[in-house]
Amino acid sequence: MKSFACLGKKLEHPRNFFCNKVCCFHKSSICSIQSFLRVLAFQIHPFWVQLTYFVILSLVGHMALKVSEPRPGSLRPASLDIFFTSVSSATVSSMSTVEMEVFSNTQLIIMTILMLLGGEVFTSILGLYLSRVKFSKLETKESRVLSVYHNPPKRTNFPGLEIEKPANVDLEYNLNSLDNDHSLKLSSLKSLACVALGYFSVVHITGSSLVAMYTSLVPSARQVLGSKGIKIQTFSVFTTVSTFSSCGFVPTNENMVAFKKNPGLLLILIPQVLLGNTLYPSCLRFLIWILEKITRKVEFRYILMNTREMGYGHLLSFSHSCLLAITVSGFILVQFILFCSMEWNSGAMDGLNPYQKFMGALFQVVNSRHTGESIVDLSIISPAILVLFVIMMYLPPCTSLMPIKQQEEVDSETGQKCKNQRKSLVHCLLFSPLSTLAIFVILVCVSEREKLKKDPLNFNVLNITIEVVSAYGNVGFSTGYSCKRQLEPDSSCRDAWFGFVGRWSNMGKFILILVMFFGRLKKFSINGGKAWKLS
């Protein structure tokens, strides 16, 4: 009878019953997601988390690009080339095996999403959220301990026997201080995540608006997009996301060569290159300092005073941030002086007035670190400048001229400094990034050995090295391929606006895909090779 009564109540109030089921499903979904995030934060090494993230992102992007139709009148690229493009977008490498104008507006939007989700700032914000989940879990456990201490349970099985609070006042003070410190740190992590997300959003919105305004008002820029059938809105959002995420893709075949006579557009993009990569840590700390001065919030003060404890790799100390900004400026100045001294009157700068040359040279050297947008044909640049670009592409974003000496870690149990830490066998066997790049160059030379013999002017070790280092640095610089440099002219050869890798074999392209993944995760191997003794 009781079951029939319950059934009658459910039938009598079907709407309430359905709402309860929906609420239960919603709560269980949230709990499942939280449990999954806690597993990621606690039990899985960050390398495997990020590798899985980029592989899945690349596979999903490959499926989306393959399903969507290319631009009318264009041939559909091969499956490997589509996957290569997806990996290049997700790892923000901008290495290309097909011309950009092959892709339709829908495919450009898909690539924009891939670049947005694969950018370093966005992924670091995701990591910051995982840190919040992990710290919240630790705080919950400590809160339970404090709750047991302040409200001890009473044993009812034995009358008169109760757990009494310790009489040690210092212990109670330490526990309360620990509780307050953890609450402040959690609140500071939330504030830091909000600041980083706001920084990310404001730069994208402002940059897209400025690019759209410029291309709409300047006839020459608007004419370029009109002749190529590219929408202004798509171009502005795509280019802004690509520039800020340090990808370097541009919807035009010629990259930024088509806009080399538009110094205003270059001037809009230069700050976005710096704000999204090399100067992001310095700008983030400066923004937090400004917010602390305006709001006087204790969370911002805590962030500025405890940069290492926040666990955010892009949050640096004041001195380190200043040194980083000085180093970035120094690299740009040195490159600018050398580039202008050697290329000012070269064929790469033909047809430009002095102001256009000045802005073009500045834009080119700023992009040499990680973004890879270019206004010149790199194949006609002097070898000395190319070698300089290779060095710049190899350097990590946070390279400082005078690196800050890392503080020794302190053991939380003994309070002693940990000098000799045991390293795993895998860590000891790791090669340095430079050694790994040498191995990749050798593998590419092996896979392309026949072309190295028949077409040495295009397929030479310098061009292959530039391509490999560019993929490792997630830059996108490429010398391209020219049919005019063939020793045995091929009548069927056609010059195309895509990277040098577009002429490689499938094995060579697959090797470069591995290089792009390796370069996107290079922070996990940046200290590799120290176990190898050369003397």
Side-chain angles (χ1 to χ4, degrees):
M1 296 296 293
K2 185 177 181 180
S3 61
F4 282 110
C6 293
L7 180 60
K9 291 181 179 180
K10 293 178 181 179
L11 293 176
E12 184 178 358
H13 303 284
R15 183 176 180 181
N16 294 338
F17 176 72
F18 177 75
C19 293
N20 291 334
K21 287 294 184 181
V22 172
C23 292
C24 292
F25 176 77
H26 179 67
K27 291 180 180 179
S28 62
S29 300
I30 294 177
C31 293
S32 301
I33 295 174
Q34 290 178 347
S35 300
F36 177 71
L37 292 177
R38 286 168 183 169
V39 169
L40 291 180
F42 282 92
Q43 301 181 10
I44 303 178
H45 193 275
F47 170 80
W48 299 111
V49 175
Q50 295 194 25
L51 178 61
T52 304
Y53 175 82
F54 287 113
V55 170
I56 293 177
L57 188 62
S58 301
L59 292 175
V60 173
H62 170 250
M63 294 172 57
L65 290 174
K66 193 171 183 179
V67 170
S68 54
E69 293 293 331
R71 179 175 294 191
S74 301
L75 296 177
R76 183 183 295 274
S79 182
L80 180 60
D81 291 331
I82 294 177
F83 181 67
F84 189 98
T85 303
S86 177
V87 173
S88 185
S89 301
T91 59
V92 294
S93 301
S94 72
M95 310 300 294
S96 60
T97 58
V98 295
E99 293 181 320
M100 288 298 297
E101 293 178 22
V102 170
F103 299 108
S104 62
N105 189 71
T106 302
Q107 291 177 321
L108 291 178
I109 294 175
I110 294 172
M111 293 175 64
T112 303
I113 296 174
L114 292 176
M115 293 185 295
L116 186 72
L117 299 180
E120 176 60 28
V121 176
F122 182 83
T123 54
S124 67
I125 294 175
L126 291 181
L128 193 58
Y129 179 77
L130 287 178
S131 299
R132 285 177 51 190
V133 173
K134 180 177 181 179
F135 193 78
S136 299
K137 183 68 174 178
L138 292 175
E139 187 188 37
T140 302
K141 291 182 178 180
E142 292 177 357
S143 299
R144 292 175 181 174
V145 173
L146 293 173
S147 178
V148 170
Y149 168 77
H150 289 293
N151 301 292
K154 298 182 179 181
R155 298 190 180 184
T156 57
N157 294 334
F158 299 93
L161 181 60
E162 298 180 355
I163 299 178
E164 298 180 357
K165 295 181 181 180
N168 192 343
V169 179
D170 293 335
L171 176 60
E172 183 176 1
Y173 174 77
N174 290 334
L175 289 174
N176 290 330
S177 300
L178 182 64
D179 185 30
N180 294 333
D181 183 68
H182 279 255
S183 299
L184 178 58
K185 184 176 181 180
L186 179 59
S187 178
S188 300
L189 280 172
K190 294 179 180 179
S191 299
L192 179 60
C194 292
V195 172
L197 185 59
Y199 178 96
F200 177 84
S201 304
V202 169
V203 174
H204 277 89
I205 295 173
T206 305
S208 300
S209 303
L210 291 176
V211 173
M213 186 183 302
Y214 182 90
T215 52
S216 299
L217 297 178
V218 178
S220 59
R222 186 173 65 252
Q223 184 179 359
V224 170
L225 297 181
S227 63
K228 295 178 177 295
I230 302 174
K231 298 180 180 179
I232 292 179
Q233 295 80 3
T234 303
F235 175 82
S236 59
V237 175
F238 184 98
T239 305
T240 299
V241 172
S242 177
T243 304
F244 181 82
S245 62
S246 301
C247 184
F249 271 144
V250 179
T252 59
N253 286 339
E254 313 93 317
N255 203 273
M256 292 300 295
V257 176
F259 301 97
K260 64 180 181 180
K261 294 185 178 181
N262 297 106
L265 180 60
L266 305 183
L267 185 61
I268 293 174
L269 296 178
I270 287 175
Q272 299 178 36
V273 175
L274 300 174
L275 292 175
N277 194 278
T278 50
L279 288 184
Y280 171 62
S282 301
C283 295
L284 178 64
R285 182 177 178 87
F286 180 73
L287 177 60
I288 296 173
W289 179 78
I290 292 294
L291 292 175
E292 192 274 333
K293 294 298 182 182
I294 295 176
T295 63
R296 298 293 180 179
K297 291 184 64 174
V298 66
E299 288 83 0
F300 295 137
R301 183 65 177 174
Y302 183 88
I303 294 172
L304 295 175
M305 299 299 295
N306 301 273
T307 55
R308 291 176 60 86
E309 287 75 6
M310 298 304 297
Y312 188 51
H314 296 288
L315 183 63
L316 305 179
S317 62
F318 172 76
S319 56
H320 199 167
S321 300
C322 293
L323 289 175
L324 177 62
I326 294 173
T327 302
V328 172
S329 303
F331 282 151
I332 293 175
L333 180 62
V334 170
Q335 290 184 89
F336 181 77
I337 293 175
L338 292 177
F339 188 90
C340 290
S341 62
M342 301 192 69
E343 304 297 335
W344 188 265
N345 295 319
S346 67
M349 294 291 189
D350 283 346
L352 303 179
N353 59 43
Y355 176 64
Q356 292 171 346
K357 289 182 179 181
F358 178 88
M359 291 304 305
L362 181 61
F363 181 82
Q364 193 68 36
V365 300
V366 167
N367 278 270
S368 66
R369 287 293 299 275
H370 291 282
T371 305
E373 295 174 0
S374 180
I375 64 153
V376 298
D377 182 5
L378 293 181
S379 62
I380 62 177
I381 296 295
S382 61
I385 299 299
L386 291 179
V387 173
L388 177 62
F389 284 169
V390 169
I391 297 174
M392 292 295 107
M393 291 187 294
Y394 175 76
L395 296 176
C398 290
T399 299
S400 299
L401 186 60
M402 298 176 62
I404 301 298
K405 184 178 180 181
Q406 298 294 332
Q407 299 179 0
E408 296 176 319
E409 296 183 0
V410 179
D411 192 335
S412 58
E413 296 181 359
T414 62
Q416 298 178 354
K417 293 182 178 180
C418 303
K419 296 182 179 180
N420 298 322
Q421 296 181 349
R422 297 182 61 184
K423 298 181 180 180
S424 64
L425 179 62
V426 176
H427 183 80
C428 292
L429 294 178
L430 282 177
F431 290 98
S432 66
L434 191 59
S435 303
T436 308
L437 286 178
I439 294 174
F440 280 124
V441 171
I442 293 172
L443 292 177
V444 173
C445 290
V446 171
S447 67
E448 310 301 322
R449 57 187 180 275
E450 294 298 328
K451 297 178 180 179
L452 282 166
K453 295 178 182 179
K454 296 181 180 180
D455 193 8
L457 295 183
N458 282 302
F459 282 85
N460 55 67
V461 178
L462 177 59
N463 288 348
I464 291 176
T465 302
I466 292 173
E467 205 79 5
V468 171
V469 176
S470 179
Y472 166 77
N474 306 122
V475 180
F477 272 170
S478 178
T479 55
Y481 184 93
S482 176
C483 298
K484 298 179 181 179
R485 293 196 292 263
Q486 291 180 339
L487 294 182
E488 300 177 0
D490 184 3
S491 59
S492 62
C493 181
R494 182 182 67 88
D495 287 329
W497 289 96
F498 50 72
F500 179 41
V501 65
R503 299 285 184 174
W504 293 9
S505 64
N506 289 341
M507 179 57 68
K509 294 177 182 178
F510 180 75
I511 293 173
L512 207 66
I513 288 175
L514 297 180
V515 176
M516 288 189 288
F517 279 120
F518 175 68
R520 189 62 183 85
L521 301 172
K522 57 180 169 284
K523 61 183 177 182
F524 296 103
S525 62
I526 202 69
N527 295 320
K530 292 186 176 180
W532 294 85
K533 303 300 180 183
L534 303 182
S535 61

